[in-house]
Amino acid sequence: MKLVGLTGGIASGKSTVAKILKQLGAAIVDADQLSREVVAPGQDGWNEITATFGREVLQADQTLDRQKLRTMIFNNPDARKQLEAIIHPRVRALAEQRIREHGAAGFELIVYEVPLLFEGKIHEWLRPVILVACDVEIQRQRLQQRDAIDAAAAQKIIDAQMSLAEKRRLADYVIENDSSLADLEAQVRAVVAKIKAT
């Protein structure tokens, strides 16, 4: 069994690469999905977030208003640290459980997909890491289309993340997502072949 990290800047095509990896027989453990699970209504994470940030961060159906929470922590480093201290350890514990389950099920390749993998220092215990990258102009256009925002707002979100140059330096494999889907699939296949050969 091989465990691999997968990351990429926002709107770089990481989810598309994860789908291709799944088609190639990999098990995918998605940190975003796990972060939703650990803060579902009634879970310990949900209880701690509502105790810390108040019930105004809840929607009518009692699920977290993720947009409101994001806005709350965007310019408040202390609030961000509080939220991360609640969510990150729970996500990691659940990820480790899922990875063990996939390993026991006989998957040869398990991919842990994490948007902020380098920022969370996950690369310090998980190697190799695949980075999905694209030209910043393409990234900004995709983000504008995806979130229906203007160029300035998209650039602000991109600037808030670790630079692509730094991510490239830290990654073991870089997949460039500037071209066609066929080109992307060919790159993913090549990287999987290299990982399996090591």
Side-chain angles (χ1 to χ4, degrees):
M1 179 199 94
K2 283 197 161 54
L3 178 61
V4 176
L6 174 66
T7 193
I10 192 163
S12 60
K14 177 175 43 63
S15 300
T16 306
V17 169
K19 281 184 193 135
I20 297 166
L21 286 163
K22 192 172 183 179
Q23 288 163 3
L24 294 174
I28 308 294
V29 178
D30 179 352
D32 272 349
Q33 180 56 44
L34 300 185
S35 71
R36 286 188 193 90
E37 288 181 43
V38 300
V39 298
Q43 296 290 327
D44 289 345
W46 181 90
N47 292 332
E48 203 174 329
I49 288 169
T50 51
T52 305
F53 295 95
R55 297 189 77 83
E56 64 267 21
V57 298
L58 298 179
Q59 301 186 96
D61 64 358
Q62 298 301 295
T63 59
L64 289 181
D65 186 331
R66 293 164 75 90
Q67 190 58 49
K68 191 176 271 187
L69 257 177
R70 256 197 297 272
T71 305
M72 199 181 271
I73 67 165
F74 194 75
N75 293 313
N76 186 334
D78 290 337
R80 180 189 292 258
K81 281 197 185 88
Q82 278 182 296
L83 185 64
E84 288 173 350
I86 295 167
I87 295 174
H88 289 181
R90 290 178 169 90
V91 168
R92 179 161 176 181
L94 188 54
E96 287 171 352
Q97 179 192 323
R98 294 280 159 81
I99 288 162
R100 282 194 300 272
E101 287 166 2
H102 289 313
F107 281 92
E108 275 183 61
L109 186 64
I110 301 171
V111 177
Y112 188 26
E113 179 187 350
V114 190
L116 301 177
L117 187 146
F118 295 124
E119 291 87 339
K121 307 253 186 290
I122 294 167
H123 62 291
E124 291 177 1
W125 60 267
L126 173 59
R127 287 288 185 181
V129 173
I130 301 169
L131 170 69
V132 184
C134 67
D135 177 78
V136 73
E137 183 61 39
I138 293 172
Q139 185 184 18
R140 190 167 53 243
Q141 286 170 5
R142 285 179 185 156
L143 187 54
Q144 282 178 247
Q145 286 170 347
R146 192 190 79 183
D147 292 2
I149 54 178
D150 65 18
Q155 192 60 51
K156 192 173 179 186
I157 293 167
I158 291 166
D159 290 343
Q161 294 196 332
M162 181 187 285
S163 77
L164 195 53
E166 180 67 5
K167 287 183 178 180
R168 283 178 189 278
R169 196 179 64 73
L170 293 168
D172 299 291
Y173 301 97
V174 180
I175 290 173
E176 302 290 350
N177 186 20
D178 295 325
S179 186
S180 66
L181 183 59
D183 176 67
L184 187 65
E185 286 174 354
Q187 288 186 70
V188 175
R189 285 177 188 278
V191 166
V192 167
K194 281 180 192 165
I195 289 168
K196 286 185 173 176
T198 55

